Amino acid sequence: MVQNNPLILMDGAHNISAIYNLINSLTTNYENKDIIVLYAGMKDKDRSEIIQELAPRVKHIYITTLDMQRSAVAGDYNLSNYENVSFIENYHTELQKIVKQLNEQQMLLITGSFYLISDLENYFA
């Protein structure tokens, strides 16, 4: 937990089993919260399975990319199947907007890549 009000969690889950365990834990422990996700995936990870697991269980997923060759970009995702998933290029700018829009019934989960977590640790320090 990096912030309590609004509730913001960061977790380095970056494969389907870790995401599955994480989302099960959060939906159990925070059953009255709508979960909003900021996710960055690598090209060599099971991104489509992760999005399939998360999308029906969260309010919205913001997918982003990192400034590194391994990071998946918008074209690496098929988002047409989802109404609650969108791609954002500049997560630094968009994160400010997302956090400002959070209400007490919502929580933000930042996950998918240790690189994303590492980059945002200072943001919340």
Side-chain angles (χ1 to χ4, degrees):
M1 180 175 2
V2 294
Q3 190 170 303
N4 194 28
N5 191 15
L7 183 57
I8 301 174
L9 303 173
M10 290 199 296
D11 190 287
H14 60 280
N15 60 48
I16 189 62
S17 60
I19 289 288
Y20 178 81
N21 289 333
L22 173 62
I23 202 65
N24 281 339
S25 175
L26 292 178
T27 54
T28 299
N29 292 312
Y30 298 97
E31 61 184 321
N32 295 325
K33 296 269 188 193
D34 289 329
I35 301 170
I36 297 172
V37 177
L38 176 62
Y39 170 84
M42 298 294 126
K43 290 180 181 180
D44 59 340
K45 298 296 177 183
D46 42 4
R47 298 174 321 280
S48 62
E49 282 185 77
I50 289 170
I51 301 305
Q52 287 175 5
E53 178 65 33
L54 289 174
R57 304 181 71 188
V58 303
K59 183 170 182 68
H60 196 87
I61 304 170
Y62 294 96
I63 298 176
T64 193
T65 190
L66 303 171
D67 189 19
M68 59 189 335
Q69 194 169 357
R70 267 187 71 212
S71 184
V73 297
D76 294 322
Y77 295 93
N78 179 6
L79 303 183
S80 61
N81 299 331
Y82 306 101
E83 294 181 14
N84 66 333
V85 181
S86 56
F87 191 87
I88 57 175
E89 281 292 333
N90 186 336
Y91 63 90
H92 288 282
T93 302
E94 294 299 319
L95 181 60
Q96 293 174 351
K97 295 176 189 174
I98 294 166
V99 170
K100 282 183 182 178
Q101 293 174 358
L102 288 175
N103 63 48
E104 62 185 38
Q105 302 305 112
Q106 298 173 324
M107 66 182 294
L108 176 63
L109 169 64
I110 301 168
T111 192
S113 168
F114 289 115
Y115 299 106
L116 178 63
I117 302 298
S118 175
D119 186 48
L120 289 177
E121 280 180 326
N122 292 332
Y123 180 89
F124 293 103

